[in-house]
Amino acid sequence: MKKFNISYIKKIELQLFVVLLILFSISSCSEDFLDEDPPNILVAENLFVDKSGFEAALNGLYHEFRKERMGSNGQNEAGGGDLRFSLMVNGTDNVFSLNPGRSSGVITSQFGARNNPAAGYTRRVFNWLYRAINAANTIVDRSENPVVDWSIEEKNEAVAEAKVIRAWAYRHLTYLWGEVPLNLKESNGENIQTDWERAPLDQVYAAMEEDLLFAEEWLPTESRNPGTVSKAVAQHYLAELYLRMEKPDLAEIKAQEVINGPYALITSRYGVRSGQPGVPFMDQFYDGNALRSQGNTEVLWAIVSENGVDIADQGRNIMRRFFIGLYRNIDGIEVSFERGGRGIGRLSMTNWALSIYEPQDERNSEFAITKGYTYTESFGDTPPDGFSFGDTIETVIIPENEVNPGNRNLYPHCRKWEWADPTNLGLNEQYGDQPYLRLADTYLLLAEAQLAQGNREGAAETINVVRRRSNASDITATDVTIDFLLDERSRELLCEEQRRYSLVRNKKLIERTRLYNLQAGPNIQERDALFPIPQSVIDANLTSSMRQNGGY
């Protein structure tokens, strides 16, 4: 079987991987992970006694990782769920709310009073990340159990995987909330604190660095299974972390180590659609092409899922649901496999993001971004008056602040997340494998490190490696600025990177959102560079006062 075991027994999730700071539950008892009484100590003692127990726990930890592309509303993750990833990308310079009615869209399009400490959406994301941290802490701490029969290499590899995801979770938390409580020990019901303090960023960064350096030492060059982390993932995140720590020389070293490893940009057609019209850039996003075992030399970390596996075991990925447009509302155009399945058009690309490509850039081709929909007889469509089979109705780019339910059906959508089950085109969730980290991102981190050291010529050449793959023209050293680099990240990683993080890291979120997002730009304020600490967290810190972010 091509996948690693993604079965994850719900009861184990509920009983064992309790959110860090269980005290947070006082004001958030509706969370899915608190649906049952969690006797986690007994479960932990029964689980962490052999290698297979740790493998089961790691599978559970990877389930938490995959939730980034799921909804935040428990069992409603596919239907009315608020996509967790939306918080990381919406309301920036390149993504806006095509349908801002849900909380995930309202908060990051309207900001203002909508972005408040009582918001359930941001609270659920905060709690999810600490649940992942406590799951990782549990694995790390329980690995010291002397009864486990495994080699030092097996032990340290398991710990390394847990530490990467712990660092990954703190990466999210520090980008979204800034200073946060730092806990590196299992919360097991006997060590509950009510006096948590927000740790300085330098302290959190140091913990992340220690975790990632350990992982770099002990993880294999090739991951043990599709969907698990390898040495390159740790090095990639170290490169980004060193940029945040203002150590661009170290960032350059780590990025180069990834680039010099067994990875390469996709520069020619391959895989399941290689005989069909297309471009090399998009081949890596097609289900059947996303994994290294399927020929994807560019992917560093993938999200794996499989059609036919029970939803409760693998969760509900809803990237397609959010990013594929409402083309089904166009007269005569039906939901189809070829058109990417059924979406609800919650998020899309700003006018600015669509405007910054050169005409020949394949990242803006019809294979990457929708240019229109063809009336095709084989789909059973009936063209409206004035159209015939074979005619195409073109997409229309409407200013973000003018998009409304009456005119958003024809807005372009990003095609990276197209997927459909041909036997059930109305399915909410999707089950295709997806790239999560790509080598192109590492190249752009390298360019950022080179620019930070004044090496514009080196940065230009690094950027050109990425641009040439998609037939974009070469740039020169005089073109390289931080704004150009952020533009290039948008061109390459549109609807894919956690865009807010790149802007926050370079202190550009407010400026560029105001410049390029006509919907969110007028509403975003300086305070919105960080989200408010959930009020339930502050209220539950019973014996110490936890500081709120400024402006809330």
Side-chain angles (χ1 to χ4, degrees):
M1 198 169 143
K2 68 174 182 177
K3 309 292 194 302
F4 72 102
N5 179 13
I6 57 176
S7 289
Y8 184 42
I9 302 172
K10 185 67 173 175
K11 189 169 185 177
I12 290 177
E13 179 188 9
L14 292 168
Q15 291 180 332
L16 176 61
F17 298 141
V18 183
V19 65
L20 171 68
L21 316 182
I22 291 175
L23 54 107
F24 289 177
S25 68
I26 291 174
S27 299
S28 59
C29 58
S30 63
E31 299 300 325
D32 62 322
F33 51 88
L34 296 174
D35 286 348
E36 296 183 18
D37 179 35
N40 56 297
I41 299 174
L42 291 176
V43 172
E45 289 177 349
N46 293 335
L47 182 67
F48 293 108
V49 295
D50 55 28
K51 183 181 175 183
S52 64
F54 281 89
E55 289 174 346
L58 284 169
N59 284 346
L61 186 55
Y62 281 111
H63 182 73
E64 294 298 324
F65 152 68
R66 292 195 301 274
K67 285 183 178 179
E68 181 177 321
R69 293 182 177 181
M70 301 182 202
S72 67
N73 290 341
Q75 291 305 308
N76 294 321
E77 287 170 346
D82 291 316
L83 177 67
R84 290 176 175 88
F85 177 70
S86 177
L87 191 66
M88 307 163 190
V89 66
N90 191 37
T92 63
D93 55 359
N94 69 4
V95 172
F96 79 106
S97 293
L98 197 59
N99 180 6
R102 297 291 303 184
S103 61
S104 58
V106 169
I107 290 174
T108 47
S109 60
Q110 296 184 20
F111 290 106
R114 294 286 190 170
N115 186 21
N116 66 75
Y121 172 53
T122 47
R123 183 192 71 239
R124 290 191 297 273
V125 173
F126 189 94
N127 285 354
W128 155 63
L129 291 166
Y130 274 110
R131 183 169 63 246
I133 287 168
N134 196 52
N137 289 346
T138 302
I139 292 169
V140 172
D141 287 355
R142 298 282 172 159
S143 72
E144 298 302 323
N145 186 349
V147 308
V148 181
D149 182 18
W150 55 1
S151 68
I152 188 65
E153 290 79 14
E154 290 171 329
K155 170 190 172 181
N156 285 345
E157 184 176 338
V159 170
E161 291 184 69
K163 286 189 172 186
V164 167
I165 295 185
R166 184 165 68 182
W168 164 90
Y170 276 117
R171 171 182 179 268
H172 281 307
L173 285 162
T174 51
Y175 271 126
L176 293 170
W177 284 279
E179 296 179 348
V180 291
L182 177 64
N183 186 53
L184 305 176
K185 293 294 182 182
E186 174 189 357
S187 294
N188 58 22
E190 296 183 346
N191 59 351
I192 300 303
Q193 286 186 230
T194 58
D195 60 349
W196 290 97
E197 295 183 0
R198 297 173 64 182
L201 284 177
D202 287 350
Q203 185 178 340
V204 183
Y205 291 164
M208 293 167 62
E209 180 187 21
E210 183 176 344
D211 277 355
L212 292 170
L213 287 171
F214 180 91
E216 179 187 31
E217 178 181 358
W218 288 103
L219 285 175
T221 302
E222 295 286 351
S223 60
R224 61 181 174 86
N225 279 305
T228 63
V229 293
S230 66
K231 185 185 301 290
V233 174
Q235 292 169 332
H236 176 96
Y237 281 136
L238 278 167
E240 186 195 65
L241 178 61
Y242 285 136
L243 286 170
R244 298 182 74 185
M245 296 171 73
E246 299 183 355
K247 298 178 179 180
D249 54 332
L250 297 181
E252 180 174 1
I253 290 170
K254 294 305 175 187
Q256 286 284 18
E257 287 175 347
V258 178
I259 290 166
N260 294 335
Y263 303 92
L265 297 181
I266 300 295
T267 57
S268 58
R269 301 297 311 281
Y270 79 99
V272 295
R273 301 191 192 180
S274 58
Q276 303 172 24
V279 294
F281 173 73
M282 284 301 297
D283 274 340
Q284 62 191 308
F285 296 98
Y286 300 142
D287 189 33
N289 284 5
L291 308 181
R292 286 183 61 76
S293 61
Q294 297 164 338
N296 191 340
T297 60
E298 185 164 339
V299 65
L300 306 181
W301 194 5
I303 288 179
V304 300
S305 56
E306 187 165 0
N307 200 4
V309 174
D310 189 88
I311 289 173
D313 290 338
Q314 65 177 326
R316 297 170 166 92
N317 186 304
I318 55 173
M319 293 288 279
R320 183 274 311 279
R321 184 174 169 82
F322 266 60
F323 281 99
I324 304 302
L326 280 163
Y327 68 85
R328 69 180 189 275
N329 289 343
I330 303 169
D331 273 354
I333 300 294
E334 297 182 353
V335 174
S336 72
F337 177 86
E338 289 80 1
R339 293 174 181 140
R342 178 180 177 272
I344 59 173
R346 292 262 178 90
L347 301 176
S348 198
M349 307 149 289
T350 61
N351 289 199
W352 168 81
L354 293 167
S355 74
I356 61 172
Y357 293 95
E358 296 175 314
Q360 79 281 7
D361 193 327
E362 294 173 352
R363 297 170 296 189
N364 187 38
S365 68
E366 63 183 294
F367 307 105
I369 296 171
T370 52
K371 307 299 181 183
Y373 302 99
T374 302
Y375 296 103
T376 308
E377 190 168 7
S378 61
F379 297 157
D381 303 339
T382 302
D385 291 345
F387 289 89
S388 302
F389 288 121
D391 290 346
T392 296
I393 182 168
E394 295 182 352
T395 53
V396 178
I397 300 174
I398 305 159
E400 299 90 40
N401 56 348
E402 296 178 14
V403 171
N404 58 61
N407 64 14
R408 60 190 172 94
N409 300 333
L410 276 171
Y411 200 88
H413 73 246
C414 174
R415 302 192 67 184
K416 291 176 179 177
W417 313 124
E418 289 185 354
W419 182 92
D421 180 347
T423 67
N424 185 4
L425 292 173
L427 195 66
N428 284 324
E429 45 279 335
Q430 67 190 96
Y431 296 107
D433 300 329
Q434 298 173 346
Y436 183 77
L437 276 184
R438 297 193 288 115
L439 184 64
D441 190 343
T442 316
Y443 270 104
L444 295 175
L445 289 179
L446 172 60
E448 191 174 326
Q450 291 168 322
L451 176 60
Q453 298 174 86
N455 182 7
R456 292 177 183 271
E457 289 187 0
E461 180 53 31
T462 299
I463 293 169
N464 282 335
V465 173
V466 176
R467 289 175 62 83
R468 288 170 192 147
R469 182 260 294 281
S470 294
N471 201 34
S473 61
D474 278 6
I475 63 168
T476 66
T478 58
D479 296 314
V480 181
T481 64
I482 195 60
D483 282 302
F484 183 90
L485 182 53
L486 289 168
D487 293 354
E488 194 62 34
R489 290 189 67 88
S490 181
R491 283 184 282 264
E492 178 68 23
L493 302 167
L494 185 61
C495 303
E496 185 183 352
E497 70 166 329
Q498 296 104 354
R499 181 61 175 181
R500 166 180 273 264
Y501 299 178
S502 295
L503 298 178
V504 167
R505 183 173 67 252
N506 289 288
K507 301 178 177 59
K508 288 283 187 175
L509 174 66
I510 308 300
E511 173 190 335
R512 289 177 64 100
T513 301
R514 286 174 174 169
L515 278 173
Y516 300 130
N517 188 324
L518 300 180
Q519 180 189 80
N523 303 322
I524 195 169
Q525 301 298 319
E526 292 295 331
R527 69 163 197 170
D528 298 311
L530 295 174
F531 290 105
I533 300 293
Q535 190 61 43
S536 60
V537 173
I538 292 176
D539 292 344
N541 212 42
L542 299 176
T543 57
S544 178
S545 177
M546 185 177 291
R547 175 176 47 85
Q548 180 59 275
N549 280 329
Y552 295 101

